[in-house]
Amino acid sequence: MVSNGNEARVQPHRPIQPWRSRPIVPPVVSLMLCQPWHKKNIRMYADRWTTHATPKRCQGRVQTYNGAYTSFEKRDSISIRERFLLGRPSLFVDATKSLFLKTRDDEEQHNNVSHFTMERLFSPCTRLHDILESQGRLGIFEGRRQVLQELNLDVSTEELISTERAFTYAGLYAMLGNEDTQSLCG
Amino acid sequence: VWLTPHAAVAREGHLAIDAWDQLDETSHETCCFYFSADGEEINALARSPEHLLEICDVVLRLLAASVVHSVRFTDSTLGSFMNAPTLAHLMEQCQSLKCLRLEQIEMDEDHFRVLGAYWGAGLEIVLISCKIMSAGASALVEVLERNQGPTNLDFCDIDNFVVANGLRGNSPLKSFRPRLSGIHDDGNREVLAIAATLKENKSIVELNLWHDFRMSDETWDAVCDSLKTHPTLEVLDLRSMYASGASHTLSPAKLKSRIQALWDMMKTNVSIHTIHLRDHYRQYELFRGTIIPYLVTNRLRPRLLAIQRTRPILYRAKVLRRALL
């Protein structure tokens, strides 16, 4: 997935296939251990995004787990950092906590997991958004809607630690401490 | 926080660490590994040792690709997440490394072979509360005998009878605090074994024989005797937790006997300038009148020697004369 902000692509608005069309993924989908096979599928998912507007400020649209669309503004393409942050706003929400645990159970119990795992791993923020919205509690993230954005994983472990990327411990430390960082993008 | 369903990393003190515990309440025990590089602390959390191993491997590979001077690894579960090949890779890649601290790491002979192979002058290696297996203890002794290996051994779980053999001669080991048995007979035997080889030691600067048993007179005398001519020791800790209760306070006669042993040691030792003891030693007049003057003399000795090296006797005599007049 393009993610360096200079390549905001304008794509035609096209219908997005439901989750069942997604290929089956292995049961253990670790974000950090995402191998090229996973990556390919993630790219497919990422390609469902539609973006337009300027490189610095663009509009994002994402399909939620129930097929609806959620729109949001974003300054850049989605970063892996944001993807890693997905659990953070939900840590204090019981619904998302149970979602987290269920996702994990699915991974362990279903050897041929598929769309459930894929859906839950890659759309929990959207689900959280919808859950909160249905409960009328979305206001608690007023002004911080970006934490509910659906995110996009575009870096595998091998890429992360590759010589070319030259990512270091200090980079990881900075990434963990910077709320707005997009240091892994591009 | 960087979160997957099974593992996370977060900065030390980050809210995410508490949140992880809440999130992972179904797990009996969260596995943790703490990284620190030049003061930048990152915690790795996982719900199983397997997942912790995976996430630690990624962080360690990032660390190996970094320019850092001081690193510390702490394993909260006393596991073996820092294995020998990983340690070797890190030490090979991190040429800038000046201080390596391993805390609560389980270590075997391979770890010490790596530490020996990559040891270099100026590299400080500190082992704190590490669990050193029996073969590891022998390997540690071999490494020390080759004048390589750790500079600090602090409260490590190791066979003290074996590690005592590594104290002979000159080695990088500068600070030694053995984890002594709390059982009286065992503890005394361990200290006696250490004292027997301390006579031949020529490198330790700090020796901490903090103990939690009743040290016998024989053991006390053996320690004092072994340090009479020690050339480098500066700080000695002989405090006992066992004597904290009133019922275990030494009798005046026994106290006097022990201070006499210390006095005999200080008469010939020219390096020890600090001795940590329980308060009742310091309150004893004999201690203040005999031991402390020697400690002060040794403390000032390096300064005196430095003056002697830099200024001729004639110049110093003139300065003294001016001061007296």
PDB file of all heavy atoms in Angstrom, chain A residues 31-33 84 91 97 100-101 104 107-108 161 167-169 173 177, chain B residues 1-3 5-6 11 19 22 24 26 35 40 47 54 61-62 66:
ATOM      1  N   LEU A  31       1.045  -8.993  13.452  1.00  0.00           N
ATOM      2  CA  LEU A  31       1.349  -7.781  12.704  1.00  0.00           C
ATOM      3  C   LEU A  31       2.834  -7.656  12.424  1.00  0.00           C
ATOM      4  O   LEU A  31       3.251  -7.193  11.379  1.00  0.00           O
ATOM      5  CB  LEU A  31       0.868  -6.564  13.486  1.00  0.00           C
ATOM      6  CG  LEU A  31      -0.629  -6.469  13.688  1.00  0.00           C
ATOM      7  CD1 LEU A  31      -0.957  -5.230  14.475  1.00  0.00           C
ATOM      8  CD2 LEU A  31      -1.347  -6.454  12.361  1.00  0.00           C
ATOM      9  N   MET A  32       3.629  -8.050  13.396  1.00  0.00           N
ATOM     10  CA  MET A  32       5.061  -7.888  13.214  1.00  0.00           C
ATOM     11  C   MET A  32       5.659  -9.006  12.375  1.00  0.00           C
ATOM     12  O   MET A  32       6.758  -8.890  11.873  1.00  0.00           O
ATOM     13  CB  MET A  32       5.760  -7.845  14.572  1.00  0.00           C
ATOM     14  CG  MET A  32       5.626  -6.516  15.258  1.00  0.00           C
ATOM     15  SD  MET A  32       6.058  -5.163  14.168  1.00  0.00           S
ATOM     16  CE  MET A  32       7.754  -5.574  13.829  1.00  0.00           C
ATOM     17  N   LEU A  33       5.001 -10.097  12.321  1.00  0.00           N
ATOM     18  CA  LEU A  33       5.549 -11.233  11.589  1.00  0.00           C
ATOM     19  C   LEU A  33       4.813 -11.411  10.278  1.00  0.00           C
ATOM     20  O   LEU A  33       4.689 -12.511   9.762  1.00  0.00           O
ATOM     21  CB  LEU A  33       5.453 -12.493  12.438  1.00  0.00           C
ATOM     22  CG  LEU A  33       6.218 -12.384  13.750  1.00  0.00           C
ATOM     23  CD1 LEU A  33       5.979 -13.608  14.608  1.00  0.00           C
ATOM     24  CD2 LEU A  33       7.699 -12.224  13.485  1.00  0.00           C
ATOM     25  N   PHE A  84      -0.736   0.108  14.829  1.00  0.00           N
ATOM     26  CA  PHE A  84      -0.343  -0.433  16.127  1.00  0.00           C
ATOM     27  C   PHE A  84      -1.154   0.182  17.259  1.00  0.00           C
ATOM     28  O   PHE A  84      -1.315  -0.397  18.312  1.00  0.00           O
ATOM     29  CB  PHE A  84       1.135  -0.166  16.380  1.00  0.00           C
ATOM     30  CG  PHE A  84       2.026  -0.959  15.477  1.00  0.00           C
ATOM     31  CD1 PHE A  84       3.313  -0.540  15.223  1.00  0.00           C
ATOM     32  CD2 PHE A  84       1.590  -2.126  14.894  1.00  0.00           C
ATOM     33  CE1 PHE A  84       4.141  -1.267  14.393  1.00  0.00           C
ATOM     34  CE2 PHE A  84       2.401  -2.852  14.057  1.00  0.00           C
ATOM     35  CZ  PHE A  84       3.685  -2.420  13.805  1.00  0.00           C
ATOM     36  N   LEU A  91      -8.911   0.080  24.887  1.00  0.00           N
ATOM     37  CA  LEU A  91      -8.523  -0.655  26.082  1.00  0.00           C
ATOM     38  C   LEU A  91      -9.469  -0.401  27.251  1.00  0.00           C
ATOM     39  O   LEU A  91      -9.519  -1.172  28.176  1.00  0.00           O
ATOM     40  CB  LEU A  91      -7.097  -0.286  26.482  1.00  0.00           C
ATOM     41  CG  LEU A  91      -6.037  -0.777  25.507  1.00  0.00           C
ATOM     42  CD1 LEU A  91      -4.672  -0.257  25.907  1.00  0.00           C
ATOM     43  CD2 LEU A  91      -6.017  -2.295  25.467  1.00  0.00           C
ATOM     44  N   LYS A  97     -12.661  -4.774  24.265  1.00  0.00           N
ATOM     45  CA  LYS A  97     -11.851  -5.752  24.993  1.00  0.00           C
ATOM     46  C   LYS A  97     -12.334  -7.162  24.673  1.00  0.00           C
ATOM     47  O   LYS A  97     -11.539  -8.060  24.399  1.00  0.00           O
ATOM     48  CB  LYS A  97     -11.968  -5.471  26.490  1.00  0.00           C
ATOM     49  CG  LYS A  97     -11.149  -6.402  27.335  1.00  0.00           C
ATOM     50  CD  LYS A  97     -11.254  -5.977  28.788  1.00  0.00           C
ATOM     51  CE  LYS A  97     -10.586  -6.992  29.678  1.00  0.00           C
ATOM     52  NZ  LYS A  97     -10.694  -6.627  31.088  1.00  0.00           N
ATOM     53  N   PHE A 100     -11.258  -8.044  21.248  1.00  0.00           N
ATOM     54  CA  PHE A 100      -9.850  -8.420  21.225  1.00  0.00           C
ATOM     55  C   PHE A 100      -9.682  -9.890  21.630  1.00  0.00           C
ATOM     56  O   PHE A 100      -9.005 -10.669  20.972  1.00  0.00           O
ATOM     57  CB  PHE A 100      -9.087  -7.510  22.193  1.00  0.00           C
ATOM     58  CG  PHE A 100      -7.653  -7.901  22.391  1.00  0.00           C
ATOM     59  CD1 PHE A 100      -6.661  -7.382  21.577  1.00  0.00           C
ATOM     60  CD2 PHE A 100      -7.275  -8.776  23.396  1.00  0.00           C
ATOM     61  CE1 PHE A 100      -5.334  -7.717  21.759  1.00  0.00           C
ATOM     62  CE2 PHE A 100      -5.967  -9.126  23.582  1.00  0.00           C
ATOM     63  CZ  PHE A 100      -4.991  -8.595  22.766  1.00  0.00           C
ATOM     64  N   LEU A 101     -10.300 -10.239  22.732  1.00  0.00           N
ATOM     65  CA  LEU A 101     -10.161 -11.605  23.228  1.00  0.00           C
ATOM     66  C   LEU A 101     -10.781 -12.603  22.258  1.00  0.00           C
ATOM     67  O   LEU A 101     -10.260 -13.690  22.048  1.00  0.00           O
ATOM     68  CB  LEU A 101     -10.810 -11.722  24.608  1.00  0.00           C
ATOM     69  CG  LEU A 101     -10.161 -10.833  25.683  1.00  0.00           C
ATOM     70  CD1 LEU A 101     -10.971 -10.889  26.970  1.00  0.00           C
ATOM     71  CD2 LEU A 101      -8.726 -11.280  25.947  1.00  0.00           C
ATOM     72  N   ARG A 104      -8.552 -13.197  19.352  1.00  0.00           N
ATOM     73  CA  ARG A 104      -7.455 -14.083  19.717  1.00  0.00           C
ATOM     74  C   ARG A 104      -7.928 -15.534  19.793  1.00  0.00           C
ATOM     75  O   ARG A 104      -7.249 -16.457  19.348  1.00  0.00           O
ATOM     76  CB  ARG A 104      -6.887 -13.638  21.059  1.00  0.00           C
ATOM     77  CG  ARG A 104      -5.522 -14.169  21.323  1.00  0.00           C
ATOM     78  CD  ARG A 104      -4.868 -13.434  22.445  1.00  0.00           C
ATOM     79  NE  ARG A 104      -5.608 -13.575  23.688  1.00  0.00           N
ATOM     80  CZ  ARG A 104      -5.348 -12.875  24.779  1.00  0.00           C
ATOM     81  NH1 ARG A 104      -4.401 -11.983  24.756  1.00  0.00           N
ATOM     82  NH2 ARG A 104      -6.033 -13.061  25.876  1.00  0.00           N
ATOM     83  N   GLU A 107      -8.266 -17.054  16.432  1.00  0.00           N
ATOM     84  CA  GLU A 107      -6.981 -17.448  15.855  1.00  0.00           C
ATOM     85  C   GLU A 107      -6.562 -18.819  16.340  1.00  0.00           C
ATOM     86  O   GLU A 107      -5.995 -19.619  15.622  1.00  0.00           O
ATOM     87  CB  GLU A 107      -5.900 -16.434  16.253  1.00  0.00           C
ATOM     88  CG  GLU A 107      -5.944 -15.177  15.443  1.00  0.00           C
ATOM     89  CD  GLU A 107      -4.707 -14.353  15.685  1.00  0.00           C
ATOM     90  OE1 GLU A 107      -3.706 -14.911  16.139  1.00  0.00           O
ATOM     91  OE2 GLU A 107      -4.781 -13.166  15.420  1.00  0.00           O
ATOM     92  N   GLU A 108      -6.811 -19.025  17.619  1.00  0.00           N
ATOM     93  CA  GLU A 108      -6.342 -20.265  18.219  1.00  0.00           C
ATOM     94  C   GLU A 108      -7.238 -21.443  17.897  1.00  0.00           C
ATOM     95  O   GLU A 108      -6.779 -22.565  17.780  1.00  0.00           O
ATOM     96  CB  GLU A 108      -6.253 -20.081  19.725  1.00  0.00           C
ATOM     97  CG  GLU A 108      -5.167 -19.093  20.114  1.00  0.00           C
ATOM     98  CD  GLU A 108      -5.199 -18.778  21.591  1.00  0.00           C
ATOM     99  OE1 GLU A 108      -6.200 -19.146  22.235  1.00  0.00           O
ATOM    100  OE2 GLU A 108      -4.240 -18.175  22.075  1.00  0.00           O
ATOM    101  N   ILE A 161      13.178  -4.636   9.652  1.00  0.00           N
ATOM    102  CA  ILE A 161      14.549  -4.789  10.139  1.00  0.00           C
ATOM    103  C   ILE A 161      15.549  -4.881   9.001  1.00  0.00           C
ATOM    104  O   ILE A 161      16.706  -5.198   9.227  1.00  0.00           O
ATOM    105  CB  ILE A 161      14.662  -6.023  11.052  1.00  0.00           C
ATOM    106  CG1 ILE A 161      14.221  -7.274  10.318  1.00  0.00           C
ATOM    107  CG2 ILE A 161      13.849  -5.841  12.304  1.00  0.00           C
ATOM    108  CD1 ILE A 161      14.290  -8.515  11.179  1.00  0.00           C
ATOM    109  N   PHE A 167      16.011   1.057  10.010  1.00  0.00           N
ATOM    110  CA  PHE A 167      15.230   1.385  11.196  1.00  0.00           C
ATOM    111  C   PHE A 167      15.986   0.878  12.417  1.00  0.00           C
ATOM    112  O   PHE A 167      16.570  -0.206  12.396  1.00  0.00           O
ATOM    113  CB  PHE A 167      13.865   0.712  11.108  1.00  0.00           C
ATOM    114  CG  PHE A 167      12.862   1.249  12.082  1.00  0.00           C
ATOM    115  CD1 PHE A 167      12.483   2.581  12.048  1.00  0.00           C
ATOM    116  CD2 PHE A 167      12.290   0.427  13.033  1.00  0.00           C
ATOM    117  CE1 PHE A 167      11.557   3.078  12.943  1.00  0.00           C
ATOM    118  CE2 PHE A 167      11.368   0.911  13.931  1.00  0.00           C
ATOM    119  CZ  PHE A 167      10.995   2.241  13.888  1.00  0.00           C
ATOM    120  N   THR A 168      16.002   1.674  13.479  1.00  0.00           N
ATOM    121  CA  THR A 168      16.813   1.324  14.644  1.00  0.00           C
ATOM    122  C   THR A 168      15.968   1.302  15.908  1.00  0.00           C
ATOM    123  O   THR A 168      14.782   1.654  15.899  1.00  0.00           O
ATOM    124  CB  THR A 168      17.942   2.354  14.843  1.00  0.00           C
ATOM    125  OG1 THR A 168      17.332   3.635  15.108  1.00  0.00           O
ATOM    126  CG2 THR A 168      18.836   2.452  13.624  1.00  0.00           C
ATOM    127  N   TYR A 169      16.639   0.918  16.975  1.00  0.00           N
ATOM    128  CA  TYR A 169      15.990   0.906  18.288  1.00  0.00           C
ATOM    129  C   TYR A 169      15.499   2.302  18.642  1.00  0.00           C
ATOM    130  O   TYR A 169      14.389   2.475  19.148  1.00  0.00           O
ATOM    131  CB  TYR A 169      16.992   0.410  19.329  1.00  0.00           C
ATOM    132  CG  TYR A 169      16.455   0.322  20.735  1.00  0.00           C
ATOM    133  CD1 TYR A 169      15.888  -0.858  21.216  1.00  0.00           C
ATOM    134  CD2 TYR A 169      16.526   1.404  21.606  1.00  0.00           C
ATOM    135  CE1 TYR A 169      15.397  -0.944  22.515  1.00  0.00           C
ATOM    136  CE2 TYR A 169      16.040   1.333  22.895  1.00  0.00           C
ATOM    137  CZ  TYR A 169      15.485   0.157  23.348  1.00  0.00           C
ATOM    138  OH  TYR A 169      15.001   0.087  24.633  1.00  0.00           O
ATOM    139  N   TYR A 173      11.795   3.518  19.585  1.00  0.00           N
ATOM    140  CA  TYR A 173      11.517   4.244  20.827  1.00  0.00           C
ATOM    141  C   TYR A 173      10.767   5.542  20.525  1.00  0.00           C
ATOM    142  O   TYR A 173       9.793   5.887  21.193  1.00  0.00           O
ATOM    143  CB  TYR A 173      12.831   4.530  21.543  1.00  0.00           C
ATOM    144  CG  TYR A 173      12.663   5.204  22.882  1.00  0.00           C
ATOM    145  CD1 TYR A 173      12.301   4.461  24.007  1.00  0.00           C
ATOM    146  CD2 TYR A 173      12.873   6.565  23.037  1.00  0.00           C
ATOM    147  CE1 TYR A 173      12.141   5.072  25.236  1.00  0.00           C
ATOM    148  CE2 TYR A 173      12.719   7.181  24.262  1.00  0.00           C
ATOM    149  CZ  TYR A 173      12.357   6.425  25.355  1.00  0.00           C
ATOM    150  OH  TYR A 173      12.196   7.036  26.578  1.00  0.00           O
ATOM    151  N   GLY A 177       6.744   6.742  21.375  1.00  0.00           N
ATOM    152  CA  GLY A 177       6.474   7.900  22.215  1.00  0.00           C
ATOM    153  C   GLY A 177       5.818   9.043  21.499  1.00  0.00           C
ATOM    154  O   GLY A 177       5.340   9.982  22.123  1.00  0.00           O
TER     155      GLY A 177
ATOM    156  N   VAL B   1       1.776   2.391  21.888  1.00  0.00           N
ATOM    157  CA  VAL B   1       1.961   0.942  22.048  1.00  0.00           C
ATOM    158  C   VAL B   1       1.802   0.268  20.698  1.00  0.00           C
ATOM    159  O   VAL B   1       1.028   0.710  19.856  1.00  0.00           O
ATOM    160  CB  VAL B   1       0.935   0.379  23.042  1.00  0.00           C
ATOM    161  CG1 VAL B   1      -0.476   0.526  22.519  1.00  0.00           C
ATOM    162  CG2 VAL B   1       1.202  -1.082  23.311  1.00  0.00           C
ATOM    163  N   TRP B   2       2.557  -0.745  20.544  1.00  0.00           N
ATOM    164  CA  TRP B   2       2.469  -1.514  19.317  1.00  0.00           C
ATOM    165  C   TRP B   2       1.858  -2.835  19.728  1.00  0.00           C
ATOM    166  O   TRP B   2       2.417  -3.570  20.516  1.00  0.00           O
ATOM    167  CB  TRP B   2       3.874  -1.632  18.757  1.00  0.00           C
ATOM    168  CG  TRP B   2       4.208  -2.841  17.974  1.00  0.00           C
ATOM    169  CD1 TRP B   2       3.394  -3.647  17.277  1.00  0.00           C
ATOM    170  CD2 TRP B   2       5.523  -3.363  17.811  1.00  0.00           C
ATOM    171  NE1 TRP B   2       4.103  -4.629  16.677  1.00  0.00           N
ATOM    172  CE2 TRP B   2       5.409  -4.481  16.987  1.00  0.00           C
ATOM    173  CE3 TRP B   2       6.774  -2.976  18.266  1.00  0.00           C
ATOM    174  CZ2 TRP B   2       6.520  -5.233  16.630  1.00  0.00           C
ATOM    175  CZ3 TRP B   2       7.865  -3.726  17.911  1.00  0.00           C
ATOM    176  CH2 TRP B   2       7.734  -4.832  17.089  1.00  0.00           C
ATOM    177  N   LEU B   3       0.711  -3.111  19.219  1.00  0.00           N
ATOM    178  CA  LEU B   3      -0.088  -4.181  19.786  1.00  0.00           C
ATOM    179  C   LEU B   3      -0.486  -5.208  18.744  1.00  0.00           C
ATOM    180  O   LEU B   3      -0.917  -4.868  17.657  1.00  0.00           O
ATOM    181  CB  LEU B   3      -1.348  -3.557  20.392  1.00  0.00           C
ATOM    182  CG  LEU B   3      -2.302  -4.444  21.143  1.00  0.00           C
ATOM    183  CD1 LEU B   3      -1.644  -4.952  22.400  1.00  0.00           C
ATOM    184  CD2 LEU B   3      -3.549  -3.664  21.487  1.00  0.00           C
ATOM    185  N   PRO B   5      -2.442  -9.279  18.861  1.00  0.00           N
ATOM    186  CA  PRO B   5      -3.257 -10.010  19.836  1.00  0.00           C
ATOM    187  C   PRO B   5      -2.432 -10.724  20.905  1.00  0.00           C
ATOM    188  O   PRO B   5      -2.949 -11.078  21.948  1.00  0.00           O
ATOM    189  CB  PRO B   5      -4.004 -11.021  18.960  1.00  0.00           C
ATOM    190  CG  PRO B   5      -4.070 -10.364  17.631  1.00  0.00           C
ATOM    191  CD  PRO B   5      -2.775  -9.634  17.486  1.00  0.00           C
ATOM    192  N   HIS B   6      -1.154 -10.940  20.645  1.00  0.00           N
ATOM    193  CA  HIS B   6      -0.366 -11.742  21.583  1.00  0.00           C
ATOM    194  C   HIS B   6       0.799 -11.011  22.213  1.00  0.00           C
ATOM    195  O   HIS B   6       1.382 -11.496  23.168  1.00  0.00           O
ATOM    196  CB  HIS B   6       0.178 -12.977  20.865  1.00  0.00           C
ATOM    197  CG  HIS B   6      -0.895 -13.815  20.255  1.00  0.00           C
ATOM    198  ND1 HIS B   6      -1.678 -14.643  21.002  1.00  0.00           N
ATOM    199  CD2 HIS B   6      -1.320 -13.917  18.973  1.00  0.00           C
ATOM    200  CE1 HIS B   6      -2.553 -15.250  20.201  1.00  0.00           C
ATOM    201  NE2 HIS B   6      -2.360 -14.823  18.979  1.00  0.00           N
ATOM    202  N   ARG B  11       6.787   1.971  25.783  1.00  0.00           N
ATOM    203  CA  ARG B  11       7.814   2.619  26.587  1.00  0.00           C
ATOM    204  C   ARG B  11       7.606   2.304  28.060  1.00  0.00           C
ATOM    205  O   ARG B  11       6.481   2.101  28.503  1.00  0.00           O
ATOM    206  CB  ARG B  11       7.741   4.135  26.409  1.00  0.00           C
ATOM    207  CG  ARG B  11       8.406   4.634  25.161  1.00  0.00           C
ATOM    208  CD  ARG B  11       8.539   6.132  25.246  1.00  0.00           C
ATOM    209  NE  ARG B  11       9.102   6.699  24.043  1.00  0.00           N
ATOM    210  CZ  ARG B  11       9.484   7.970  23.953  1.00  0.00           C
ATOM    211  NH1 ARG B  11       9.340   8.769  24.986  1.00  0.00           N
ATOM    212  NH2 ARG B  11       9.993   8.428  22.841  1.00  0.00           N
ATOM    213  N   ALA B  19      -2.627  -1.314  30.867  1.00  0.00           N
ATOM    214  CA  ALA B  19      -3.748  -1.709  30.013  1.00  0.00           C
ATOM    215  C   ALA B  19      -3.563  -3.139  29.516  1.00  0.00           C
ATOM    216  O   ALA B  19      -4.523  -3.894  29.404  1.00  0.00           O
ATOM    217  CB  ALA B  19      -3.855  -0.754  28.837  1.00  0.00           C
ATOM    218  N   GLN B  22      -4.708  -5.516  32.011  1.00  0.00           N
ATOM    219  CA  GLN B  22      -6.173  -5.593  32.033  1.00  0.00           C
ATOM    220  C   GLN B  22      -6.688  -6.427  30.871  1.00  0.00           C
ATOM    221  O   GLN B  22      -7.572  -7.258  31.014  1.00  0.00           O
ATOM    222  CB  GLN B  22      -6.776  -4.198  31.923  1.00  0.00           C
ATOM    223  CG  GLN B  22      -6.519  -3.320  33.125  1.00  0.00           C
ATOM    224  CD  GLN B  22      -7.063  -1.927  32.901  1.00  0.00           C
ATOM    225  OE1 GLN B  22      -8.025  -1.732  32.185  1.00  0.00           O
ATOM    226  NE2 GLN B  22      -6.422  -0.948  33.504  1.00  0.00           N
ATOM    227  N   ASP B  24      -5.137  -8.658  29.227  1.00  0.00           N
ATOM    228  CA  ASP B  24      -4.666 -10.025  29.210  1.00  0.00           C
ATOM    229  C   ASP B  24      -5.005 -10.746  30.515  1.00  0.00           C
ATOM    230  O   ASP B  24      -4.261 -11.581  30.977  1.00  0.00           O
ATOM    231  CB  ASP B  24      -3.148 -10.049  28.991  1.00  0.00           C
ATOM    232  CG  ASP B  24      -2.716 -11.362  28.384  1.00  0.00           C
ATOM    233  OD1 ASP B  24      -3.441 -11.885  27.536  1.00  0.00           O
ATOM    234  OD2 ASP B  24      -1.661 -11.872  28.776  1.00  0.00           O
ATOM    235  N   THR B  26      -6.995 -12.962  31.117  1.00  0.00           N
ATOM    236  CA  THR B  26      -7.234 -14.392  31.001  1.00  0.00           C
ATOM    237  C   THR B  26      -5.945 -15.192  31.130  1.00  0.00           C
ATOM    238  O   THR B  26      -5.957 -16.377  31.399  1.00  0.00           O
ATOM    239  CB  THR B  26      -7.858 -14.726  29.635  1.00  0.00           C
ATOM    240  OG1 THR B  26      -7.022 -14.191  28.612  1.00  0.00           O
ATOM    241  CG2 THR B  26      -9.238 -14.132  29.512  1.00  0.00           C
ATOM    242  N   PHE B  35      13.973  -3.727  27.837  1.00  0.00           N
ATOM    243  CA  PHE B  35      15.140  -3.269  27.092  1.00  0.00           C
ATOM    244  C   PHE B  35      15.463  -1.842  27.524  1.00  0.00           C
ATOM    245  O   PHE B  35      14.554  -1.042  27.763  1.00  0.00           O
ATOM    246  CB  PHE B  35      14.858  -3.233  25.584  1.00  0.00           C
ATOM    247  CG  PHE B  35      14.473  -4.557  24.997  1.00  0.00           C
ATOM    248  CD1 PHE B  35      13.155  -4.968  24.994  1.00  0.00           C
ATOM    249  CD2 PHE B  35      15.426  -5.386  24.434  1.00  0.00           C
ATOM    250  CE1 PHE B  35      12.783  -6.191  24.451  1.00  0.00           C
ATOM    251  CE2 PHE B  35      15.068  -6.605  23.879  1.00  0.00           C
ATOM    252  CZ  PHE B  35      13.747  -7.002  23.891  1.00  0.00           C
ATOM    253  N   GLU B  40      16.965   4.734  27.005  1.00  0.00           N
ATOM    254  CA  GLU B  40      15.652   4.651  26.366  1.00  0.00           C
ATOM    255  C   GLU B  40      15.068   3.265  26.629  1.00  0.00           C
ATOM    256  O   GLU B  40      15.561   2.268  26.096  1.00  0.00           O
ATOM    257  CB  GLU B  40      15.782   4.917  24.863  1.00  0.00           C
ATOM    258  CG  GLU B  40      16.249   6.337  24.569  1.00  0.00           C
ATOM    259  CD  GLU B  40      16.360   6.608  23.078  1.00  0.00           C
ATOM    260  OE1 GLU B  40      16.461   5.635  22.301  1.00  0.00           O
ATOM    261  OE2 GLU B  40      16.362   7.785  22.692  1.00  0.00           O
ATOM    262  N   ARG B  47       1.824 -12.837  26.044  1.00  0.00           N
ATOM    263  CA  ARG B  47       1.010 -13.742  26.863  1.00  0.00           C
ATOM    264  C   ARG B  47       1.604 -15.131  26.951  1.00  0.00           C
ATOM    265  O   ARG B  47       1.086 -15.983  27.646  1.00  0.00           O
ATOM    266  CB  ARG B  47      -0.422 -13.800  26.328  1.00  0.00           C
ATOM    267  CG  ARG B  47      -0.566 -14.378  24.958  1.00  0.00           C
ATOM    268  CD  ARG B  47      -1.982 -14.210  24.461  1.00  0.00           C
ATOM    269  NE  ARG B  47      -2.938 -14.932  25.278  1.00  0.00           N
ATOM    270  CZ  ARG B  47      -3.557 -16.044  24.884  1.00  0.00           C
ATOM    271  NH1 ARG B  47      -3.303 -16.554  23.709  1.00  0.00           N
ATOM    272  NH2 ARG B  47      -4.432 -16.632  25.655  1.00  0.00           N
ATOM    273  N   GLU B  54       9.398 -14.122  20.035  1.00  0.00           N
ATOM    274  CA  GLU B  54       9.260 -13.516  18.708  1.00  0.00           C
ATOM    275  C   GLU B  54       9.448 -12.007  18.756  1.00  0.00           C
ATOM    276  O   GLU B  54      10.199 -11.428  17.971  1.00  0.00           O
ATOM    277  CB  GLU B  54       7.864 -13.821  18.145  1.00  0.00           C
ATOM    278  CG  GLU B  54       7.661 -15.259  17.738  1.00  0.00           C
ATOM    279  CD  GLU B  54       6.235 -15.529  17.290  1.00  0.00           C
ATOM    280  OE1 GLU B  54       5.362 -14.661  17.497  1.00  0.00           O
ATOM    281  OE2 GLU B  54       6.001 -16.606  16.746  1.00  0.00           O
ATOM    282  N   ARG B  61      17.039  -7.343  17.101  1.00  0.00           N
ATOM    283  CA  ARG B  61      17.640  -7.137  15.765  1.00  0.00           C
ATOM    284  C   ARG B  61      17.698  -5.652  15.434  1.00  0.00           C
ATOM    285  O   ARG B  61      18.629  -5.183  14.783  1.00  0.00           O
ATOM    286  CB  ARG B  61      16.862  -7.932  14.723  1.00  0.00           C
ATOM    287  CG  ARG B  61      17.140  -9.435  14.866  1.00  0.00           C
ATOM    288  CD  ARG B  61      16.199 -10.263  14.057  1.00  0.00           C
ATOM    289  NE  ARG B  61      16.463 -10.193  12.629  1.00  0.00           N
ATOM    290  CZ  ARG B  61      15.822 -10.926  11.719  1.00  0.00           C
ATOM    291  NH1 ARG B  61      14.920 -11.784  12.114  1.00  0.00           N
ATOM    292  NH2 ARG B  61      16.097 -10.817  10.444  1.00  0.00           N
ATOM    293  N   LEU B  62      16.700  -4.920  15.873  1.00  0.00           N
ATOM    294  CA  LEU B  62      16.753  -3.463  15.699  1.00  0.00           C
ATOM    295  C   LEU B  62      17.895  -2.873  16.528  1.00  0.00           C
ATOM    296  O   LEU B  62      18.601  -1.975  16.089  1.00  0.00           O
ATOM    297  CB  LEU B  62      15.432  -2.826  16.131  1.00  0.00           C
ATOM    298  CG  LEU B  62      14.229  -3.049  15.232  1.00  0.00           C
ATOM    299  CD1 LEU B  62      12.998  -2.404  15.831  1.00  0.00           C
ATOM    300  CD2 LEU B  62      14.485  -2.488  13.838  1.00  0.00           C
ATOM    301  N   SER B  66      21.724  -0.675  15.699  1.00  0.00           N
ATOM    302  CA  SER B  66      21.789   0.693  16.224  1.00  0.00           C
ATOM    303  C   SER B  66      23.183   1.007  16.751  1.00  0.00           C
ATOM    304  O   SER B  66      23.963   0.118  17.059  1.00  0.00           O
ATOM    305  CB  SER B  66      20.774   0.861  17.363  1.00  0.00           C
ATOM    306  OG  SER B  66      19.489   0.465  16.958  1.00  0.00           O
TER     307      SER B  66
END
